[in-house]
Amino acid sequence: MRAEIIAVGTEILLGQIVNTNATFLSKELANLGIEVYYQSVVGDNRDRLKGQLEIAEKRSDLIVLCGGLGPTEDDLTKQVVAEHVGESLIQDPLGYEKLIDYGKKQNRALTENNFLQTLILTNSQALQNPTGLAVGIFYTAEESQTTYLLLPGPPKELQPMMVQSVRPILKQVYQESSQLYSRVLRFYGIGESRLVTELSDLIATQVNPTIAPYAKENEVTLRLTVKTTSEELAGPLLDDLETKIQTRVGNYFYGYGEDNSLVKVVVALLEEKGKRVTAAESLTAGAFQRSLGELSGVSSVFPGGFVTYSAQTKIDFLQIDYTLIEEFGTVSQECVEAMAIQSRKLAQTDYALAFTGVAGPDELEGQAVGSFWIGLASNEGVSSHFYQVAGNRETIQNRAVMAGFELLRRELIK
Amino acid sequence: MRAEIIAVGTEILLGQIVNTNATFLSKELANLGIEVYYQSVVGDNRDRLKGQLEIAEKRSDLIVLCGGLGPTEDDLTKQVVAEHVGESLIQDPLGYEKLIDYGKKQNRALTENNFLQTLILTNSQALQNPTGLAVGIFYTAEESQTTYLLLPGPPKELQPMMVQSVRPILKQVYQESSQLYSRVLRFYGIGESRLVTELSDLIATQVNPTIAPYAKENEVTLRLTVKTTSEELAGPLLDDLETKIQTRVGNYFYGYGEDNSLVKVVVALLEEKGKRVTAAESLTAGAFQRSLGELSGVSSVFPGGFVTYSAQTKIDFLQIDYTLIEEFGTVSQECVEAMAIQSRKLAQTDYALAFTGVAGPDELEGQAVGSFWIGLASNEGVSSHFYQVAGNRETIQNRAVMAGFELLRRELIK
């Protein structure tokens, strides 16, 4: 089972966007036990795409194409593949209906080229697009048995389509007697190199299950993968390896699963315990609350909060005494504790997080870029924590947000 | 002059690392006026790399390889290229000396395989590595005149080598009298398919400059690119085409440049006019303020604001009369206008944006997912605007944030 990935898009060849789709798809296929032997990129050009298909069909059983399913003249992946395999293009009824519906809802006249997006090959399987309009295609050529998988280019459309529609099909089609079973462990507060060092002998000697570390933004995950014939056999093998890992680095472990995050774990803990949180954000200017707001149903644990970016709004919104700010400054233990206490009182919640510090690029109140305070108020009082991190504005703000969630998580599980 | 890039490395095919080298190299080559027609990735495998070279030499004049120059058994790019072009491998004297020196300094015995890194092809030009030990290679085959450029895989080594050694060589070898000059126009409030339809005849007939549309999240950009001999000649050609475009779709145009955004344009306008803005966010839970907070120096135009996710915080934080909410609900024109007026008053700013609506996944107050109100308060009073958009929670929130910035931009330029 040899696969290759062809990304279609001149903007990749111009270096304007990074080909993260290839990375995502490679990972997905690897998880399904399908080996990717080549990745390639061609521009929005009929002849060169055709040439690439000719090369690919000689060497691969599964050809995954992404990009070029949109409504513009540049989008020609479907047309070229149809011609290459000798099929016609027809409208997918479901996709067509969704597009018509979309036009009505947006109160917008649909142009003729809109309907290019909902074309599929004859004798193919349509892949619905949960987050967009372009329909994907799964097609196996009768004679050569080469499979063509056509996916949309925007990662926001490609990823859900891959997870929801393609994974089940590939599992079914390429099912082997042994399958891969994975478990993802998530760690916060430990860097990838230290995690790998702590586990180096395990990583080097483990064959089945294997351990694959991935550094993500502000966290590290470990994917344990075992190849075996049933989920019942996989479980104990994964349990055994996980126990060894947890013994060494369990203090940094916060949760399971690819589709998980520190924020989700914290919100689940709040829901479970029936507690609510608010925030007063200076340094992070709403980023902590925005992370909460991304999750649906968060209103039961988060009623709202404050963005107090200036000294004056700390005084006006939070009723902090201006003499406190005059005496200690806004980037201070005293200020962050007052922010946490006051926001908790005003929002009538169980917990309040407060953030104040220097996101940069310039120093503030004589304090270096990357230094910040986080305060946590609860019914037991208030605690405050000082951090000094390196990085640019975005990195510093994101690290502060994550540190805030970690403080709250530790409070919730203590 | 056709170029292609081949990255060598199994870790890319497994999705463990993103192929950012291809992006960097594509951008570098584009800036030199060299067109990249293909990117590809092969694993650390002799036969497949050889096969890829055979494909590449048929279609490209310049083949850029990156990765596989290191000291391990997996590193075989030099060996395969040497075999392919019929040259031998010899030590590069400068690189050899540097390696010996490094061994002494590190007080470390060098193993035989260390010296694989400093091999070059006979009849090639060595490219010194300012940040590592592997020597790069620039080689042109005498008969076919195909050029092979071999670069190390780690971006920290590849990038300085490209900038310091390769750029000057390529400029000299491939210097053309004409270069590429680009201008990026940014549009908000018009979809890609409609923009392309409005400009279809221009896009189809324009050869120099060319027009390339790109759909980004919530906006569309057009890149106009002209190939000519000087910036002085490029300017009027781009101006002329831009005028034609602005005549048709100028109403949706908001700014220039690759590294620009609606938020940046709004913040620049606020700074220019010495005005300040606040926000009261329900639907968007801090996302509008978070977008402002991402920009450094925003404190002069944004003192802070409110996240009023629940009805109670709208009453408590913003002092909105609870009878108003009882009568009209939180997703209402009355509520959004009150939120805007009250937050503007409390934050003492020139403008206030308020957001309330249904982000989903469930309906709220009998209103459909994706329906929302935005209010804009200023010294002239308050206006409110109803929207109904399709998409998931994240899409709806992001579209609301952008719509808010657009309302403010129009207010600031009116």
Side-chain angles (χ1 to χ4, degrees):
Chain A
M1 184 61 214
R2 295 175 165 222
E4 77 176 274
I5 297 164
I6 302 175
V8 185
T10 304
E11 64 277 26
I12 307 175
L13 295 178
L14 288 168
Q16 289 166 358
I17 61 168
V18 181
N19 189 7
T20 52
N21 282 342
T23 313
F24 173 81
L25 291 169
S26 287
K27 227 184 266 181
E28 281 286 313
L29 294 169
N31 288 341
L32 292 162
I34 298 171
E35 286 186 278
V36 175
Y37 278 36
Y38 304 93
Q39 292 173 357
S40 52
V41 181
V42 284
D44 302 308
N45 176 287
R46 193 173 284 270
D47 292 338
R48 289 195 284 278
L49 176 53
K50 203 149 191 290
Q52 197 63 35
L53 289 175
E54 281 157 14
I55 291 168
E57 72 172 356
K58 284 186 200 129
R59 62 189 189 186
S60 299
D61 310 305
L62 169 64
I63 301 169
V64 182
L65 292 122
C66 54
L69 305 194
T72 78
E73 277 183 32
D74 276 356
D75 295 303
L76 34 79
T77 304
K78 283 175 184 176
Q79 292 80 341
V80 174
V81 172
E83 206 174 285
H84 179 72
V85 299
E87 298 282 356
S88 315
L89 289 167
I90 50 171
Q91 282 292 333
D92 168 55
L94 271 179
Y96 183 85
E97 211 173 288
K98 185 176 165 190
L99 178 57
I100 295 282
D101 206 45
Y102 169 84
K104 276 186 199 149
K105 269 197 190 143
Q106 298 284 314
N107 210 355
R108 190 192 277 189
L110 295 170
T111 55
E112 201 178 314
N113 55 2
N114 278 120
F115 292 94
L116 296 174
Q117 300 174 87
T118 48
L119 289 172
I120 58 169
L121 304 193
T122 41
N123 300 309
S124 76
Q125 186 170 348
L127 306 169
Q128 298 308 318
N129 189 334
T131 50
L133 297 170
V135 175
I137 296 171
F138 185 87
Y139 172 82
T140 301
E142 205 175 317
E143 211 174 303
S144 66
Q145 285 295 304
T146 306
T147 295
Y148 295 81
L149 173 58
L150 279 67
L151 299 170
K156 276 197 180 164
E157 300 181 23
L158 176 137
Q159 295 183 10
M161 189 182 287
M162 186 72 194
V163 172
Q164 292 173 34
S165 307
V166 183
R167 256 192 215 163
I169 298 175
L170 290 178
K171 270 191 186 158
Q172 198 186 356
V173 176
Y174 301 114
Q175 199 166 37
E176 293 181 42
S177 57
S178 0
Q179 275 189 290
L180 297 174
Y181 298 90
S182 284
R183 180 178 301 174
V184 173
L185 312 181
R186 308 184 76 94
F187 298 87
Y188 175 82
I190 184 170
E192 188 191 19
S193 44
R194 211 183 119 209
L195 185 75
V196 167
T197 306
E198 299 277 353
L199 305 173
S200 58
D201 55 317
L202 285 180
I203 293 173
T205 56
Q206 278 292 334
V207 180
N208 195 31
T210 56
I211 306 175
Y214 297 104
K216 314 220 163 171
E217 202 186 341
N218 283 311
E219 60 174 315
V220 191
T221 66
L222 288 179
R223 176 182 286 270
L224 319 186
T225 305
V226 65
K227 194 167 190 172
T228 181
T229 48
S230 76
E231 197 152 1
E232 288 65 43
L233 288 171
L237 290 167
L238 292 170
D239 289 346
D240 186 45
L241 177 57
E242 187 190 333
T243 305
K244 289 182 193 160
I245 293 169
Q246 295 282 16
T247 309
R248 300 189 191 184
V249 290
N251 193 34
Y252 303 98
F253 171 81
Y254 77 83
Y256 293 100
E258 193 63 77
D259 185 32
N260 199 356
S261 68
L262 195 52
V263 187
K264 285 185 183 172
V265 168
V266 167
V267 167
L269 283 167
L270 287 166
E271 281 170 353
E272 188 189 314
K273 295 179 186 283
K275 303 283 186 190
R276 302 195 314 157
V277 65
T278 188
E281 300 185 64
S282 180
L283 169 78
T284 47
F288 180 86
Q289 297 171 76
R290 197 270 177 285
S291 293
L292 288 170
E294 279 173 341
L295 304 181
S296 61
V298 78
S299 57
S300 66
V301 303
F302 170 62
F306 303 89
V307 179
T308 52
Y309 206 61
S310 68
Q312 193 61 47
T313 52
K314 292 177 183 72
I315 295 164
D316 292 345
F317 297 177
L318 300 175
Q319 301 156 23
I320 293 177
D321 198 331
Y322 77 96
T323 57
L324 181 147
I325 292 175
E326 269 185 352
E327 186 174 355
F328 300 104
T330 56
V331 185
S332 64
Q333 179 165 19
E334 289 76 7
C335 184
V336 87
E337 292 190 352
M339 288 167 70
I341 292 168
Q342 286 300 99
S343 58
R344 178 172 175 271
K345 197 174 106 189
L346 292 164
Q348 300 172 42
T349 55
D350 304 285
Y351 301 102
L353 267 300
F355 301 84
T356 182
V358 192
D362 299 318
E363 287 190 356
L364 188 68
E365 300 176 358
Q367 303 213 45
V369 172
S371 42
F372 58 85
W373 284 94
I374 302 181
L376 170 60
S378 70
N379 63 358
E380 295 172 11
V382 64
S383 66
S384 49
H385 311 262
F386 181 73
Y387 300 80
Q388 171 68 55
V389 305
N392 62 13
R393 186 177 178 82
E394 191 189 345
T395 314
I396 293 164
Q397 290 179 328
N398 288 343
R399 289 187 64 172
V401 168
M402 293 293 278
F405 280 111
E406 175 67 1
L407 283 176
L408 184 53
R409 187 182 73 84
R410 299 233 171 223
E411 179 72 20
L412 284 163
I413 59 169
K414 83 175 181 192
Chain B
M1 184 62 214
R2 291 174 168 225
E4 78 177 272
I5 297 163
I6 303 174
V8 185
T10 304
E11 65 277 27
I12 307 174
L13 295 179
L14 289 168
Q16 288 167 358
I17 61 168
V18 181
N19 189 7
T20 51
N21 282 343
T23 313
F24 172 80
L25 292 169
S26 286
K27 228 183 265 180
E28 281 285 314
L29 294 170
N31 288 340
L32 292 163
I34 298 172
E35 288 185 276
V36 175
Y37 278 35
Y38 305 93
Q39 293 173 357
S40 51
V41 181
V42 284
D44 302 309
N45 175 287
R46 193 173 285 271
D47 292 337
R48 288 196 284 278
L49 177 52
K50 203 151 189 292
Q52 198 63 36
L53 289 175
E54 280 157 14
I55 291 167
E57 72 173 356
K58 284 187 201 130
R59 61 189 189 186
S60 300
D61 310 305
L62 169 63
I63 301 169
V64 182
L65 292 123
C66 56
L69 305 193
T72 77
E73 277 182 29
D74 276 354
D75 295 305
L76 34 78
T77 304
K78 283 175 185 177
Q79 291 80 341
V80 174
V81 172
E83 208 175 283
H84 179 73
V85 298
E87 299 280 356
S88 315
L89 289 166
I90 52 171
Q91 282 292 333
D92 167 55
L94 270 179
Y96 183 84
E97 212 174 286
K98 186 177 166 189
L99 179 56
I100 295 283
D101 206 45
Y102 169 85
K104 276 186 198 152
K105 270 192 191 147
Q106 299 283 311
N107 211 358
R108 188 194 280 187
L110 296 169
T111 55
E112 204 179 311
N113 56 2
N114 278 122
F115 292 95
L116 295 174
Q117 299 175 87
T118 49
L119 290 172
I120 57 169
L121 304 192
T122 42
N123 301 309
S124 75
Q125 186 170 348
L127 306 169
Q128 298 309 316
N129 188 333
T131 51
L133 297 169
V135 175
I137 296 172
F138 186 86
Y139 171 83
T140 301
E142 206 175 316
E143 210 175 301
S144 65
Q145 285 296 303
T146 306
T147 294
Y148 296 81
L149 173 59
L150 279 67
L151 299 170
K156 276 189 185 168
E157 300 182 23
L158 175 138
Q159 294 184 11
M161 189 182 286
M162 186 72 195
V163 173
Q164 291 172 35
S165 306
V166 183
R167 253 192 217 165
I169 298 174
L170 290 178
K171 268 192 185 159
Q172 199 186 356
V173 176
Y174 300 113
Q175 198 166 39
E176 288 185 43
S177 50
S178 28
Q179 277 187 288
L180 296 175
Y181 299 90
S182 284
R183 180 179 299 173
V184 173
L185 312 181
R186 308 184 77 94
F187 298 86
Y188 175 80
I190 183 169
E192 188 192 18
S193 42
R194 213 184 116 208
L195 185 75
V196 167
T197 306
E198 298 277 352
L199 305 174
S200 58
D201 55 317
L202 285 180
I203 293 172
T205 56
Q206 278 291 334
V207 180
N208 194 32
T210 55
I211 306 175
Y214 297 105
K216 313 218 165 174
E217 203 186 339
N218 285 311
E219 61 174 313
V220 190
T221 66
L222 288 180
R223 174 181 287 268
L224 319 186
T225 305
V226 65
K227 193 166 191 172
T228 181
T229 48
S230 76
E231 198 152 0
E232 288 67 42
L233 287 171
L237 290 167
L238 292 170
D239 288 346
D240 185 45
L241 178 56
E242 187 189 333
T243 305
K244 288 183 194 159
I245 293 169
Q246 295 281 15
T247 310
R248 299 189 190 184
V249 291
N251 194 32
Y252 302 98
F253 170 81
Y254 77 82
Y256 293 101
E258 193 64 75
D259 184 32
N260 199 357
S261 68
L262 194 53
V263 188
K264 285 186 184 173
V265 167
V266 166
V267 168
L269 281 168
L270 287 166
E271 281 171 351
E272 188 190 314
K273 296 180 185 282
K275 303 283 186 190
R276 301 196 313 158
V277 66
T278 189
E281 301 184 64
S282 179
L283 169 78
T284 47
F288 180 86
Q289 297 172 77
R290 198 270 178 286
S291 295
L292 289 170
E294 279 173 340
L295 303 181
S296 60
V298 78
S299 56
S300 66
V301 304
F302 170 61
F306 303 88
V307 178
T308 53
Y309 205 60
S310 68
Q312 195 59 47
T313 51
K314 291 178 184 72
I315 296 164
D316 292 345
F317 297 178
L318 301 175
Q319 300 156 24
I320 293 177
D321 197 332
Y322 78 94
T323 58
L324 180 148
I325 292 176
E326 269 186 351
E327 187 173 355
F328 301 103
T330 56
V331 185
S332 64
Q333 179 166 19
E334 290 76 9
C335 185
V336 87
E337 293 190 352
M339 287 168 70
I341 292 168
Q342 285 301 98
S343 58
R344 178 172 175 271
K345 197 174 105 189
L346 292 164
Q348 300 173 39
T349 55
D350 305 286
Y351 301 102
L353 268 299
F355 302 83
T356 183
V358 191
D362 300 318
E363 287 191 357
L364 188 68
E365 299 177 0
Q367 304 213 44
V369 171
S371 43
F372 59 85
W373 284 94
I374 303 181
L376 171 59
S378 69
N379 63 358
E380 295 172 11
V382 63
S383 65
S384 50
H385 310 263
F386 181 74
Y387 301 79
Q388 170 68 54
V389 306
N392 63 13
R393 186 174 177 84
E394 193 188 346
T395 314
I396 293 164
Q397 290 180 327
N398 288 342
R399 289 189 64 172
V401 167
M402 293 292 278
F405 280 112
E406 175 67 1
L407 283 177
L408 184 53
R409 188 182 74 84
R410 300 231 170 223
E411 179 72 21
L412 284 162
I413 59 170
K414 84 174 179 192

